[in-house]
Amino acid sequence: MRVLFVTPEIDDFIRVGGLAAVSAALPRALRIWTDVRIILPGYRDVVTQFPDIEIVGECPALAEMPACSVGLAATKDGLPIYILLCPQLYDRPGNPYGDACGRDWPDNDIRFARFASAAALLASGKLDKNWSADLVHANDWQAALVPAYLAWSGVKIPTILTIHNLAYQGLFPKSSLRRIGAPAESFHIDGLEFYDKLSFLKGGLIYSSHLTTVSETYAREITTPELGCGLEGLLTKRSNESRLTGILNGIDESWDPRVCAELMRPFGAGDWEAKRANADGVRQQFGLALSRGPIFGLVARLVHQKGVDLVLSAADAIVSAGGQIVVTGRGETAIENALMEAHRRRPDAIGVAIGFNDREARRIFAGSDFTLMPSRFEPCGLSQMYAQRFGSLPIGHQTGGLAETIVDGETGFLFTQPSTESFLGGILRAFATYGSKERLNSMRRSAMSKSFSWNISAASYSALYRKTIVAGV
């Protein structure tokens, strides 16, 4: 079974959010069942890591999208990676989607339509003469037009689109239709049109053979007006047709505190002295005061969705009760500034590192007693899984993947509303647990025993791939 996995980011080379971790782990877990290959845009940070890329095909120009080449390389462990080489579109500073100031690139419609159209050509065997796909697995809005380009060219290859976050839809002016070579007749309510704009994600929802999202709870939530982002009607229709499936993400096996080389001291369940050593290391790293109170970690994209404003509103209560807060992540400038201001007010109790560093994240999970996850919505979430494996009990809003992966009162704490009052209720329960070492250590053991293996998710995807291929386009 030959599968083309289409993603705009992967942990090996370039990371913006959780999609990068999924794109690194899921294809590797699938290799026992499939010949899975990844296609990725040739960003500067990707191309520089491959001195020798074998060119396997050329994409002709289409509408306002330039011609480009497709090269083939491989990761150190042999995972095949196709790289779309087009320096004028992808060889830029900043992240894959915008400049260093956080502004989206103005030609993102061209950049990701070119990516999707090239992936469609590759899947259909028109670029690499030695390979074509039995199925395409596209991810998020940046890859969502792959099924559309296949349909527009009359190529019948089954396709799956995974929605990692419905809030990011790839919306562009109607004029983009001409720029990306989409047929004019595709711009209507049952096509790419979304409130008189062009929606890349809606194109994927319309043209894909099957849709998945990253937890069963989120698959239900996106069919409601509250979390459907204006697409709930279409998603309800797909669900009623049995063409929408929730498959929970997993986490990489390297998230094991017993063997993690990044920690101050590796530790297992029961070795609480070594966990305390990690806590002392975090305090020292962030310049916090020595304390016998709990550390609350926040490892997240610093955006409204993640409820960081709720953390800020609860910060005084946490500190007044004897807790300390450690934050790492990057995101919206206003939120970053507010966190830095909180740190300036209480540098002894609130530590903030703007940016993302995997080593730092692992040390925070290992050193913290609790992990804050007050997300307004959370399709799956990975931090709560990492936290549990490292004995940091998550305090999460009962939504999406958080509701599926946190056992309330056993491996963490769930609160019901995305409000400061409800969040503080979870925090007070955490403080009460911290005051009872027997209860705290029992919950830590339960959390650390949880398995979130990608093998479970990969088996579900493999079965869905086969079912979709049998069903046809």
Side-chain angles (χ1 to χ4, degrees):
M1 183 164 55
R2 300 182 305 275
V3 175
L4 181 62
F5 193 90
V6 190
T7 178
E9 54 185 271
I10 178 173
D11 253 352
D12 298 56
F13 314 114
I14 190 106
R15 176 191 179 94
V16 175
L19 173 57
V22 174
S23 300
L26 177 56
R28 287 179 164 96
L30 285 165
R31 290 173 77 182
I32 60 173
W33 293 289
T34 66
D35 171 8
V36 59
R37 303 188 179 194
I38 291 172
I39 183 170
L40 187 73
Y43 311 118
R44 182 178 297 177
D45 288 348
V46 174
V47 175
T48 54
Q49 296 184 57
F50 292 106
D52 299 306
I53 299 176
E54 176 194 359
I55 304 299
V56 295
E58 303 288 341
C59 300
L62 173 62
E64 295 184 24
M65 301 188 298
C68 55
S69 304
V70 172
L72 178 60
T75 60
K76 291 177 181 176
D77 60 344
L79 182 65
I81 306 279
Y82 288 102
I83 302 169
L84 185 60
L85 299 169
C86 188
Q88 71 187 88
L89 295 183
Y90 308 119
D91 184 10
R92 301 178 183 181
N95 73 44
Y97 317 126
D99 62 23
C101 297
R103 294 177 296 238
D104 287 351
W105 297 116
D107 59 346
N108 272 348
D109 54 346
I110 296 283
R111 297 173 75 238
F112 291 104
R114 176 73 283 184
F115 177 50
S117 59
L121 289 172
L122 178 63
S124 58
K126 294 175 182 174
L127 293 178
D128 184 347
K129 65 180 187 302
N130 296 313
W131 197 84
S132 60
D134 298 313
L135 178 138
V136 172
H137 184 167
N139 292 273
D140 269 355
W141 74 262
Q142 298 91 340
L145 287 186
V146 180
Y149 280 109
L150 287 169
W152 295 333
S153 60
V155 176
K156 296 188 179 299
I157 296 175
T159 52
I160 288 174
L161 171 67
T162 296
I163 305 159
H164 296 266
N165 191 333
L166 190 68
Y168 298 98
Q169 298 184 15
L171 297 176
F172 298 98
K174 181 179 179 180
S175 58
S176 290
L177 200 73
R178 169 183 46 78
R179 287 158 53 85
I180 67 171
E185 59 270 20
S186 67
F187 193 80
H188 58 84
I189 194 169
D190 294 320
L192 303 183
E193 187 269 335
F194 184 74
Y195 293 96
D196 206 39
K197 290 187 175 180
L198 184 156
S199 169
F200 277 37
L201 185 65
K202 189 182 177 192
L205 304 185
I206 292 284
Y207 289 103
S208 293
S209 311
H210 198 96
L211 305 173
T212 70
T213 192
V214 289
S215 68
E216 290 182 25
T217 305
Y218 192 59
R220 294 190 296 273
E221 289 175 340
I222 59 177
T223 63
T224 67
E226 291 76 22
L227 291 177
C229 300
L231 293 165
E232 61 272 8
L234 174 55
L235 288 161
T236 298
K237 181 172 183 288
R238 290 288 174 268
S239 180
N240 292 340
E241 296 167 346
S242 299
R243 291 171 59 190
L244 171 60
T245 304
I247 299 177
L248 190 70
N249 285 337
I251 60 173
D252 187 87
E253 296 298 329
S254 71
W255 289 89
D256 183 340
R258 296 169 299 179
V259 297
C260 184
E262 309 289 352
L263 306 187
M264 303 290 185
R265 276 175 60 181
F267 66 98
D271 188 0
W272 309 129
E273 183 182 339
K275 183 163 174 66
R276 277 194 297 275
N278 283 284
D280 290 342
V282 167
R283 287 189 174 98
Q284 184 176 9
Q285 179 184 344
F286 282 85
L288 303 182
L290 290 176
S291 171
R292 293 187 178 182
I295 297 177
F296 294 79
L298 175 65
V299 179
R301 281 185 300 113
L302 304 178
V303 295
H304 181 71
Q305 174 211 329
K306 298 295 184 179
V308 186
D309 57 310
L310 299 180
V311 175
L312 287 161
S313 64
D316 286 345
I318 290 173
V319 172
S320 297
Q324 295 173 316
I325 303 170
V326 177
V327 180
T328 188
R330 68 176 51 182
E332 296 166 11
T333 303
I335 293 176
E336 292 178 357
N337 291 342
L339 285 165
M340 290 305 298
E341 178 57 31
H343 161 68
R344 282 189 286 271
R345 284 201 326 268
R346 289 299 305 265
D348 60 319
I350 300 175
V352 178
I354 300 300
F356 185 82
N357 176 291
D358 183 71
R359 178 183 183 214
E360 192 164 66
R362 288 171 185 262
R363 289 187 168 190
I364 291 173
F365 286 125
S368 60
D369 301 288
F370 305 103
T371 290
L372 303 173
M373 294 203 69
S375 303
R376 287 180 163 78
F377 64 94
E378 192 61 72
C380 176
L382 298 176
S383 287
Q384 79 278 10
M385 300 188 212
Y386 299 147
Q388 288 174 79
R389 295 289 291 128
F390 280 54
S392 179
L393 305 177
I395 304 169
H397 176 209
Q398 190 169 346
T399 186
L402 302 180
E404 288 182 32
T405 54
I406 300 170
V407 183
D408 186 44
E410 183 179 321
T411 69
F413 308 93
L414 292 171
F415 59 94
T416 56
Q417 299 296 324
S419 67
T420 302
E421 183 181 17
S422 188
F423 183 33
L424 281 171
I427 290 168
L428 288 173
R429 292 174 64 201
F431 269 109
T433 298
Y434 190 78
S436 168
K437 292 304 178 191
E438 184 179 346
R439 171 113 177 101
L440 175 68
N441 292 337
S442 172
M443 288 186 69
R444 281 174 170 170
R445 288 179 188 275
S446 294
M448 293 175 76
S449 70
K450 293 268 284 185
S451 173
F452 300 106
S453 171
W454 266 113
N455 293 335
I456 301 167
S457 309
S460 297
Y461 273 109
S462 179
L464 181 60
Y465 289 170
R466 295 181 187 280
K467 180 181 175 182
T468 305
I469 289 170
V470 169
V473 178

